[in-house]
Amino acid sequence: MEDYIVIGCGFAGAVVARQLAEKGKKVLILEQRDHIGGNAYDEKDSHGILVHKYGPHIFHTEKKRVFDYLSRFTDWYGYSHEVVGKVGDKLLPIPFNLNALELVYGKEKAKQLQKILEEQYGTEVKVPILELRKDKRPEVWQLAEYVYQNVFLKYTMKQWGKAPEEIDPSVSGRVPVFLSRDNRYFQDTWQGMPKEGYTALFQRLLNYPGITVQLSVPAEKVLSFDRESGRVYFEGKEYGGTIIYTGAIDELFGCCYGRLPYRSLDFVFEYYPEEFYQSHGVVNYTVSEDYTRITEFKRLTGQICEGTTIIKEYPRNYTGEAGQKPYYAIQNKENQALYEKYKSLAKCFPRLYMLGRLAEYKYYNMDAIADRALELAESLY
Ligand code: UDP
């Protein structure tokens, strides 16, 4: 009998499983998809180009222990992520920064605006758009309005079906206005792409005595939870070990309080027999088109190959329909309250732990999930 059953084989599940196995525990991972790696999974398409099946994943972190930990399982391709937003015929650096300011207003006016902004906020600082919009000085107000209308409003409407002020400020705050010439999307000390891809990283992470991975096994087929007694049954027999669940928390309990809202995405892949499709790894369509962004994989991975594959992301409501996937928790007070109800339910089971984006209903980046998984494993030794 395994000491641990881990549900889900993305960053959360794979890291916690490895840590426990290194302590001599037996760990069974049950994954409902037919592959490891969760949403970070990558594979070569029919043209031999390495693509991220569930949208672009760019690793970046300030957490040295996470970087050091993952570096045990991969070398890195030193990619610094840069994004531009397509506004009319302009490609503006995103986050909107001093270079973008110059492209929109010209050198002279941009200089004046920079001075006015720096007086209030300082240099090399990040200012959330919703904060900048509160600035009453006419020049700043006008600039904030430009950025709001051309960078945030329509992109956010597409992504969330809501305006920026209707979503949690931590979400729009992920992409601030940056009073800097630095065009990088992330300023983290460590950033890059796993040299041979994420799937290879996961293969090494999971290749350890004591770890068994079963693919194409939906947890609800083999596990059942009895709330009254707090008992858990695995394949019909009472299971006395510990369960770490990394899937959607509402689905674990049959959505008994109603579905937690998530945003989903449809991905459309396109191949072009050209060297490159666009000038940057990611181009955000911040005012036009139905998709939010186009990513060109070989610009992220540095792969040298003939032709190029891109991906377009079309945001969708998540309804739970077969084949749809929940990618983003929609954080607000009401949804948090619903989440808390499921969390209390999970507490009926003393040896059940919730871990990751879906189980904790949070907007975690990959490094934050890996960090949480390391923490959870430590707390269990
Ligand atoms: N955002 C925006 N315009 C952009 C980029 C981001 O309005 O050009 C907003 C949008 O609401 C988005 C959020 O900022 O959902 C966070 O963006 P991020 O790039 O971090 O999203 P992710 O890569 O996690 O999908």
Side-chain angles (χ1 to χ4, degrees), residues 201-221:
L201 184 165
F202 276 92
Q203 276 162 349
R204 290 189 203 104
L205 194 54
L206 296 163
N207 183 14
Y208 196 81
I211 300 181
T212 308
V213 183
Q214 288 185 8
L215 298 177
S216 308
V217 180
E220 65 270 18
K221 287 260 160 71

Side-chain angles (χ1 to χ4, degrees), residues 56 58 79 81-94 151 155 158 185 276-297 299-300 310-313:
I58 295 128
Y79 169 71
H81 191 39
E82 290 191 17
V83 177
V84 288
K86 187 154 172 48
V87 180
D89 58 358
K90 289 192 175 68
L91 289 175
L92 303 178
I94 306 278
V151 176
Y155 188 103
K158 283 190 268 186
Y185 203 61
F276 285 110
Y277 177 84
Q278 60 190 24
S279 57
H280 291 73
V282 173
V283 177
N284 284 1
Y285 286 77
T286 54
V287 278
S288 62
E289 315 304 334
D290 292 336
Y291 44 83
T292 48
R293 59 188 174 191
I294 296 182
T295 299
E296 181 166 21
F297 289 106
R299 289 217 179 261
L300 308 188
I310 61 155
I311 184 174
K312 295 177 176 168
E313 296 175 50

